[in-house]
Amino acid sequence: MTNSPIKHAPHLPPSTAATTDHQLRSPKSNRGLRKLQSAHQLSSNYAASNTPSLISQQRQQQQRNTSSSHHAQAPQIPPLPTFSAHHRTRSNSDAVLPNAATNPTSSRRAAAPRKNPANQNPREELEAMVRQGPQGELQAELARLRHLVLCEGLLADSDGMSQLRIYVWLILLNAPTIPTDSYLELIGRGASPAYSKIRNDTFRTLATNPLFKRRVSEASLIRLLNAIAWKLHDAKTDKFGDSTKINAATELGSPELQHASPAIKHAQGPSTTTATDGSEAGGTEPGIYVQGMNVLCAPFLYAARSEAEAFVAFHIFVTRDCPGYVRGAMDGVHKGLALVDKCLAIVDPKLSAYLQSKHMKAELYAFASVLTMCACTPPLPEVLQIWDFLFAYGPHLNILSICAQLVIMRETLLASPSPTKLLRSFPPLQSRLIIEITVSNLRKIPADVYEELVHHAE
């Protein structure tokens, strides 16, 4: 910051009144006055004139000449800079420092603070990690990011909207960067083979959720699901176009993080089958659309800042982390339902035995929760917080989060002679409590069962 130019301006010269009087009293000036006085006396209309006298006019002219000659010898004063009014909030660089005159380095911009100081607020640290990238070893920084998501959560408003959420999801999913034109090209191809099935589902996607309806239109859902259907269709037929093909160097995301998702080996699995409708394909064939994908993609559209961001996140999610959920027979979902029964028997044997005695298997009450990662249960802001946790530590933990919801209902279920009615719809989600119970129950899961959890959606 520079000092005020007023301080360094040259001093003004002393008053010129004394000099002017001295010059008026000089002999040369007196002779001029006498001549003017004679001319004045010869004037015949002096008394009737309203204009200043010749003597007065001469004096004024003399004073102007004297002042101009004096100022010509005075040092030139540089003009002061003019400052236009700011049309923005004053930034730190506009503020005047109190020690600007004494500190020679005060005019320099203050050095940027450390990225992750020890005394930094955890949420500020999380924001700095997302905006500035890792400052140390990549895996250590990724572990720190997961820990911050688990312990602190993402700052969001009452509607669940967070400026960082979609970027945190893309990082945790290890999503590649693709041109927006790739998404637009898929949209430009028109209706996919699964278009009619998509249209039959989109209008009822979270139909009773006003937050979702206010932010996400049915047209957005149709475009995204139709683009995903084309993408999966191209993967099946092995006919990628240049305009929609992700660059080979970034198709699997960051090479250092490729082990983060257990289903990453399924990111590229083109099949030679000619089937076009995913819901009619065989159990081992990848589909292009199954009922429930509309609800599964809804949180991506709600949290993302653009359809292109939601597209890349949703595509990576269904092709790497849970491809078994979108196959024709949805074998991954059925494996997950069997694991709900198995894990509940481990974490709460009494509740599991009671439900089994009532012939209440997970296939009867947990199918939608497994398929949609609990997105079918309101409220939506709580769904987003659970997804933060699932993307940080693995979507396979959704099975344990369903068990946690059953544990929360434990007393009500055990006291009910007909738990079927209670399990037709789960109670509203309590994300923090569900995450706490899930983490606590995780210690009870044997290693072999945990391996089944990790790989059940492949």
Side-chain angles (χ1 to χ4, degrees), residues 95-420:
V96 179
L97 298 181
N99 59 344
T102 58
N103 187 2
T105 62
S106 61
S107 60
R108 302 175 184 176
R109 177 171 290 186
R114 290 179 57 193
K115 306 291 185 181
N116 294 316
N119 58 348
Q120 191 174 17
N121 182 279
R123 287 189 172 176
E124 293 177 355
E125 180 185 354
L126 191 151
E127 181 176 355
M129 292 178 69
V130 174
R131 295 185 183 276
Q132 301 168 1
Q135 302 302 307
E137 199 273 326
L138 183 59
Q139 292 301 323
E141 291 291 297
L142 187 61
R144 176 60 179 166
L145 176 62
R146 292 187 176 113
H147 185 264
L148 289 173
V149 170
L150 173 64
C151 298
E152 302 296 332
L154 299 179
L155 186 63
D157 59 20
S158 58
D159 292 344
M161 300 307 303
S162 171
Q163 295 183 351
L164 297 179
R165 174 164 281 123
I166 186 60
Y167 303 111
V168 172
W169 287 4
L170 291 170
I171 292 171
L172 295 174
L173 290 170
N174 190 25
T177 302
I178 66 169
T180 304
D181 289 343
S182 298
Y183 176 65
L184 297 178
E185 179 69 20
L186 291 170
I187 295 175
R189 292 167 65 175
S192 69
Y195 180 75
S196 61
K197 292 184 176 293
I198 292 172
R199 289 301 305 267
N200 288 336
D201 290 341
T202 52
F203 73 93
R204 51 183 176 229
T205 303
L206 303 183
T208 60
N209 192 313
L211 295 179
F212 180 78
K213 288 297 182 182
R214 185 168 65 240
R215 180 171 174 83
V216 181
S217 66
E218 183 183 359
S220 295
L221 272 170
I222 294 172
R223 284 192 296 267
L224 188 143
L225 290 171
N226 197 66
I228 289 292
W230 274 124
K231 194 73 175 175
L232 297 179
H233 176 268
D234 290 344
K236 289 177 62 175
T237 57
D238 197 20
K239 292 180 180 178
F240 284 94
D242 292 339
S243 60
T244 59
K245 185 175 181 180
I246 299 175
N247 186 287
T250 61
E251 186 168 12
L252 295 180
S254 174
E256 297 87 348
L257 303 181
Q258 289 182 12
H259 67 280
S261 299
I264 197 170
K265 60 185 179 181
H266 294 281
Q268 277 186 308
S271 172
T272 57
T273 181
T274 58
T276 58
D277 194 337
S279 61
E280 297 175 359
T284 59
E285 299 293 347
I288 62 174
Y289 180 78
V290 295
Q291 191 174 20
M293 284 178 65
N294 56 315
V295 180
L296 189 60
C297 82
F300 288 103
L301 277 171
Y302 186 82
R305 301 170 71 93
S306 69
E307 288 183 25
E309 290 176 342
F311 166 77
V312 65
F314 183 54
H315 176 259
I316 291 299
F317 180 66
V318 298
T319 55
R320 290 187 189 172
D321 293 308
C322 56
Y325 285 13
V326 297
R327 280 196 283 267
M330 294 187 286
D331 53 322
V333 178
H334 292 288
K335 291 179 182 178
L337 293 169
L339 284 170
V340 170
D341 291 330
K342 182 180 291 189
C343 291
L344 183 62
I346 295 173
V347 300
D348 195 333
K350 182 178 180 180
L351 177 60
S352 175
Y354 180 75
L355 293 178
Q356 293 294 331
S357 67
K358 300 294 183 178
H359 307 286
M360 288 296 298
K361 293 186 176 182
E363 291 181 350
L364 300 177
Y365 60 83
F367 186 90
S369 296
V370 172
L371 174 61
T372 66
M373 300 285 170
C374 295
C376 59
T377 307
L380 187 54
E382 299 295 312
V383 174
L384 300 178
Q385 293 186 41
I386 291 178
W387 279 33
D388 295 340
F389 167 68
L390 296 180
F391 291 155
Y393 290 95
H396 59 278
L397 294 180
N398 179 56
I399 303 300
L400 292 181
S401 72
I402 296 173
C403 294
Q405 295 175 62
L406 295 172
V407 171
I408 294 174
M409 302 171 61
R410 183 177 191 275
E411 299 302 325
T412 306
L413 291 173
L414 292 176
S416 174
S418 179
T420 306

